[in-house]
Structure formats: structure tokens, C-alpha cells
Amino acid sequence: MALIEPSHSALTDRGLPDRGLPDAGLPLAARLRGLFSTGTAGRSLTISAFIVALVISLPALAVISSLFDTTTANLSGLGQSVMAQLLTNSLILATGTLAGVLVLGVSTAWLVTMCRFPGREIFHWALILPLAVPAYVVAYAYTDFLHHPGPVQTLLRDVTGWGAQDYWFPNIRSEGGAVFVFSFVLYPYVYLLARATFLEQSVCALEAARTLGQSAWGAFWKTALPLARPAIAAGAALAIMETLADFGTVSHFGVRSFTTAIYQSWFSLGDRVLAGQLSAGLLGIVTLLILVERLSRSGATYEQTTTRLQRLPDYELKGIRGALAFAACALPVTLGFLLPLGILIYLNFVGGHDLFGGRYITLTLNTFTLAGIAAVLAVALALLMAYAVRLSGSPLARLANRMTSLGYAIPGSVIAVGVLIPLANMDNALDAWMRATFGISTGLILTGSIVGLVFAYIVRFMAVSINTVEASLAKVTPNMDAAARSLGRSKLATLIEVHSPLMRGSLLTAGLIVFVDVVKELPATLIMRPFNFDTLAIQAYRLASDERLAEASTASLMIVATGLLPVIILSRTIMASRPGSKTPK
């Protein structure tokens, strides 16, 4: 039976995506128009979104292009032993952190979701708190707490009467110490995603496992855990990428990594090509990790066969079991948040700076200015790109959104090098032209101002805003668009007057998360900050590098206080994350 389809021109005139028309037989020009969109407004937005995506992709392209630069000794000049050390340390940090975040994140997520024990209501949100503290801040706190003159070893010597050479104590400034810090700071990535997945799982699957003779442990291991594997893998991948991207912790602990080597190559050796090639190596490792994770579950499905979402059973834990569950949840909260926070408060009390002094007011203003500009631009660009997909649905618009999301997987130091290479070339070319033409030197317009630094932030954290905005925009029914258009509103007016008010909460959330990520960002800020323009993160790093940990505590506390706000929002959101359920108790 033949079907009568609307003409291509009719769809174009109505501004609707031409998804149902075959490309075969159409002229090349028509097929190219279909790649963008079928409406003028949608086509313009799609082109704009793709241009934004190309600009944001420049740092990664610049880093990759450095592999073909032979103007210096490049990677071969480092020697096999140095490269082997960098790779070995990266492997130790990644595997150690992976094991730590999986054990801590999955176990606590299962306990607070499926079991009833003392303190469960508090742990629902308290287990997210370590996200508010950057890893390098925790590293500063534990260094003061556990090093030789610190309170722990001092108390040990006072109690036992031992001398400095009479006992062995683990060295916090080591690969093991870095793994310890990363595990207790980054496990919330796994906890958040695993818990959300456990909440969404149907009780029917667990009941079926129990009727087949499985114990509670067997139902978890053979049913709930496999269903949650994609979410757990995604959380673990985020934790590993944060580990490999870290600079402050590994630098403070004296662990040689790709990020420290990149920084030394750029500033100590003045070799931008070597820094770019090291960045390309780190980018390759991160990409390989993502591919391995996706290939490991290729061909497998993790779907539930029922949509019944009944209330999940509560396994009541009493006595020793309840105490063990309480301890299992209290341990990561204590070691990842409460103890470091207490150490910082004590250090600030005994030797910190005046938070309201002129120096710290300037640092805070600098930090909040950078974070505010980056947050506003990231949300505005994300709204533009998400709306381009909504209007056109074209493959090019979707590709642009995916391209801009890749920056979150790229370490800050890599992005900084990738930004500096093209911007420095542009600055030098502009300066040479101005000298030759007008006899005026323009200096460093892009790399010597906050322009380059804000651009690096946009590249790094664009994924955070675009994912949030896309998810929110998808919840607005297309009937809203049709109603607005029938009332004479243009597509731009519909976005401003209809969509934006409906998405206000999500837009504020996206901007807030980007704001806090920028406040905590260290490697990109350290490499790209303008001369004599410091932030709270730079202040904390500089003082800690000089072993002035008490003075570094003031800036560290301010960073932690800023990070608490999005954590509170996350905790409120996750409490009602299961469809059809009330706030869990």
C-alpha cells in the first residue's frame, strides 16, 4: 500500500525537521541543507553551534598537532626511564583509585538504598560531602596531620617514648598517600550514580532472585550489581579521569605524573612542544580508558524487563550488623570530609590569615569574577547549542554538542597547553603585524589576560552545563513551542519567554556547578593566569608548596565553603530521585 508523504518544501516552510524523507534522489544541495536543518532559524543556530564546537575543539587539536612538531628533542629527549616512571605512576594512581572508589561508592550506595540502620537518614546526603573538597586541599590537611612533626606522630612518640628512628610510619607523601586521598575524595562519583541506579531498579527483579533461592548478598551480586554496571562504570571513569588530571595533590606529594611533567616542561624548561606532546600522551591515556570501558560492555544489555517500581525492601540491620553498616558509611564521610575540615579549621585558628584582609578580598574577587564569567558564558552557549538540536534535530547539531562535551574528559593542564599554543601564535602574529605596520607592540592580548583563562574554563566545563541544559530542555513538551508560535512568537522569543522561565532552576544549577568547578580548578589556572592575578586555589597551592600549611588553610577553607553549595543542591535532588517515591527515609 502506497503512503502519501508531505512534500519536502511543505516541511521546510513549516520549519519542521525533515527526518522522514529519504536522501536518495535528492540533489546534493538539498542533502547538504538537510544535514544542517530545514528551517532558516534552525540552520543558523546549527551553523553557530558547530562553529562554537570547532572553537572549543581547538585546544585538543593543538595538542594532537604537537606530536608532529620536530623543532625540539620532543618526547625522545626525556628518556625511556622517565617515560616509564610517568606511565607506572599513572597506572598505580588509576588502578588504586579505581579499587578504592568502587569499594567505597558501591557498598555505601547499596547500604543506604536497601538497608535500615542507625544514621541512614544522615548518610543519604552526608556521603556526598567529600565532593565539596578538592583533592589537593585534603592532601594539605593530611600532610600536616600525618607528617613527622604532626599531631599523630608526636602523640605516638609521647605515648611510647620512641625516638624518630625507633618506629615505622607510612609516608603520606607517596603514591599510596595519593591513592588514599583520591579514593576518599572521589568515591561520591560512584556513590551518586550507583545509588540513583539502585533506586530506579524494579523490586520485581530482586524478588525473582530471592524466590530462586538467592540470598540478599546473592541478589545484590548477581542481579542488582550487573544492572547497575553502566552507571558504576561511568562514575569510576569520572574518578579516574579526575585522578589523572590532578596536579595539586601529586605535586604536593612529590609523585611524578604527566601533569607535573607538563607543568615543568612549560615553565622550567620553556619547551612548549614537549609540554604539548606530554599533553597528547595524557589525552591518549584518557581516551584509551574511555574506549576500554565502552568495549568491555559492548553487545551487552542492562535493561529491566518490567516497569513496576514498587517500594524497595528495607533490610533491617540490628546489633553488630547495624554497627558495621554505620561504620562503613561513617568512615568515608569522616576521612573524606569531616577530618580534613576539622584540620583546616584548627590550622586556620592557630596560624591562618585574616579572611577579611585586603589580600583575601582581592583573591576572592578574582576567583569569583573568573567563575562568574565562565558560568554565564557556559550556560548561554549550552542553551544555544541545546536549542539548535531542538529546532533542527540535525546530525550536525548533535555532533556539535558531543564535540563540546569532550572537554570534561581532558585534564586541565592539557587544555591549558592546548589553549596557549594557538593563542600564543595569534598574539605573536598580531604583535609582528602591528610592529611592521604601525611600529606599535600589542604585547600579549589573549594569553596575557583573563580571556585565555576563561576560554580554557569553557572548554573544560562546557560538558557540565550542556548536559544539564539538554536534560532540562527535553522535559519541555513540544506543545509549548507550537502554542507560542501560534501566538505570534518567533523562535528566539519562544526560547526567551517560554523555555528559559521553565528551565530557570536547571539553568541556575548548571551555572552553579560550573562556578564551583572553576573555583576549585588548579592546573589550568596555574598555567594560564595573567601576571599578578592570583586566585584562592593559587594562593592555597603556593603556601602549601612552601610548607606554610597553616596559612594555606584560609584559602582552602574558602574553597570548601564555596563547594558546599552545589553539594547541598545535589543532596536535595537525589533524595527524590526515584520515580513515584517520596523522600527516602
Side-chain angles (χ1 to χ4, degrees):
M1 180 177 64
L3 296 177
I4 301 177
E5 296 183 346
S7 67
H8 183 278
S9 59
L11 288 172
T12 303
D13 293 339
R14 291 163 57 189
L16 298 175
D18 186 14
R19 297 187 183 93
L21 296 177
D23 287 338
L26 288 178
L28 177 60
R31 292 201 297 270
L32 290 177
R33 285 197 301 270
L35 180 64
F36 290 91
S37 71
T38 56
T40 303
R43 185 181 301 116
S44 300
L45 272 179
T46 299
I47 295 174
S48 301
F50 191 70
I51 292 174
V52 171
L54 286 179
V55 172
I56 290 178
S57 301
L58 280 178
L61 297 176
V63 165
I64 295 172
S65 68
S66 66
L67 291 172
F68 306 99
D69 195 322
T70 58
T71 56
T72 65
N74 58 52
L75 288 177
S76 61
L78 286 179
Q80 294 183 354
S81 60
V82 175
M83 285 300 299
Q85 184 184 34
L86 296 179
L87 291 171
T88 300
N89 289 344
S90 298
L91 181 62
I92 292 173
L93 295 175
T95 54
T97 302
L98 175 63
V101 298
L102 287 178
V103 171
L104 295 172
V106 176
S107 61
T108 53
W110 181 255
L111 285 173
V112 299
T113 304
M114 303 297 296
C115 304
R116 263 189 299 129
F117 57 92
R120 176 195 181 190
E121 295 83 357
I122 297 175
F123 290 128
H124 272 301
W125 56 267
L127 283 163
I128 314 174
L129 290 176
L131 277 182
V133 191
Y136 58 85
V137 169
V138 176
Y140 303 157
Y142 275 116
T143 298
D144 182 83
F145 191 61
L146 297 176
H147 70 162
H148 186 269
V152 173
Q153 293 199 51
T154 299
L155 178 63
L156 179 64
R157 291 191 296 270
D158 291 342
V159 171
T160 61
W162 291 339
Q165 304 298 323
D166 296 335
Y167 66 95
W168 175 86
F169 196 85
N171 182 17
I172 187 66
R173 287 186 163 177
S174 62
E175 291 86 351
V179 168
F180 170 82
V181 169
F182 289 138
S183 297
F184 282 97
V185 171
L186 301 177
Y187 81 85
Y189 284 119
V190 176
Y191 167 78
L192 282 170
L193 296 178
R195 181 171 179 266
T197 303
F198 290 150
L199 285 170
E200 293 169 358
Q201 287 180 2
S202 171
V203 67
C204 301
L206 300 177
E207 289 176 346
R210 297 302 301 273
T211 58
L212 293 174
Q214 294 292 340
S215 63
W217 169 253
F220 162 74
W221 187 257
K222 295 184 178 180
T223 303
L225 192 60
L227 286 173
R229 180 183 172 185
I232 293 172
L238 286 173
I240 293 176
M241 286 189 288
E242 288 289 338
T243 299
L244 295 176
D246 180 86
F247 174 79
T249 305
V250 293
S251 175
H252 187 67
F253 283 172
V255 179
R256 295 203 66 180
S257 68
F258 275 93
T259 51
T260 58
I262 291 168
Y263 182 82
Q264 292 168 358
S265 299
W266 190 279
F267 286 97
S268 300
L269 302 179
D271 193 337
R272 68 175 183 86
V273 177
L274 178 59
Q277 293 177 347
L278 286 169
S279 301
L282 181 55
L283 180 59
I285 293 175
V286 172
T287 304
L288 181 62
L289 286 173
I290 296 173
L291 292 176
V292 167
E293 187 278 321
R294 291 188 177 180
L295 289 175
S296 67
R297 51 188 174 95
S298 61
T301 58
Y302 302 89
E303 299 174 354
Q304 301 184 66
T305 57
T306 178
T307 58
R308 293 175 58 198
L309 286 171
Q310 303 173 7
R311 180 178 176 83
L312 291 171
D314 286 337
Y315 300 111
E316 188 171 1
L317 303 179
K318 297 181 179 179
I320 186 64
R321 291 186 176 183
L324 289 176
F326 178 88
C329 293
L331 181 67
V333 176
T334 302
L335 296 183
F337 180 76
L338 295 178
L339 182 57
L341 180 62
I343 295 170
L344 291 174
I345 293 174
Y346 172 76
L347 290 175
N348 186 65
F349 179 76
V350 298
H353 288 154
D354 180 11
L355 183 59
F356 300 102
R359 172 64 173 164
Y360 273 87
I361 290 177
T362 300
L363 291 172
T364 304
L365 286 176
N366 290 347
T367 303
F368 279 46
T369 299
L370 288 173
I373 294 173
V376 170
L377 289 177
V379 172
L381 291 174
L383 189 59
L384 178 147
M385 302 190 72
Y387 197 51
V389 173
R390 184 181 181 90
L391 284 185
S392 68
S394 68
L396 196 63
R398 298 183 186 278
L399 174 63
N401 283 14
R402 299 289 75 80
M403 289 170 62
T404 56
S405 298
L406 294 177
Y408 199 70
I410 304 177
S413 55
V414 175
I415 290 177
V417 172
V419 169
L420 280 174
I421 291 175
L423 291 190
N425 292 335
M426 292 172 62
D427 270 337
N428 292 332
L430 178 61
D431 183 68
W433 181 79
M434 290 294 290
R435 284 175 180 270
T437 306
F438 303 103
I440 301 173
S441 174
T442 57
L444 302 176
I445 296 178
L446 299 176
T447 55
S449 65
I450 66 171
V451 174
L453 184 53
V454 170
F455 177 54
Y457 291 147
I458 297 297
V459 175
R460 178 79 168 89
F461 301 118
M462 187 67 181
V464 177
S465 59
I466 200 168
N467 289 340
T468 305
V469 172
E470 275 188 325
S472 178
L473 190 59
K475 296 178 182 178
V476 180
T477 174
N479 294 335
M480 292 286 190
D481 300 62
R485 297 301 302 280
S486 67
L487 294 174
R489 295 295 187 271
S490 66
K491 294 178 180 178
L492 179 60
T494 301
L495 174 63
I496 296 174
E497 299 177 18
V498 178
H499 294 106
S500 296
L502 291 173
M503 299 167 58
R504 183 183 296 112
S506 295
L507 294 178
L508 290 175
T509 300
L512 181 61
I513 295 175
V514 173
F515 183 94
V516 175
D517 279 340
V518 171
V519 171
K520 297 191 294 185
E521 171 63 33
L522 177 62
T525 310
L526 190 63
I527 293 175
M528 294 200 60
R529 74 190 188 282
F531 178 73
N532 202 27
F533 188 90
D534 291 337
T535 64
L536 292 170
I538 298 298
Q539 176 78 349
Y541 169 76
R542 278 184 169 177
L543 293 173
S545 300
D546 294 338
E547 300 300 326
R548 298 160 63 185
L549 296 175
E551 297 167 271
S553 65
T554 306
S556 300
L557 278 174
M558 189 63 185
I559 295 172
V560 174
T562 306
L564 280 175
L565 191 55
V567 168
I568 293 173
I569 292 176
L570 282 173
S571 65
R572 290 171 62 91
T573 302
I574 197 173
M575 293 296 284
S577 59
R578 188 170 188 258
S581 67
K582 296 180 181 180
T583 302
K585 298 181 179 180

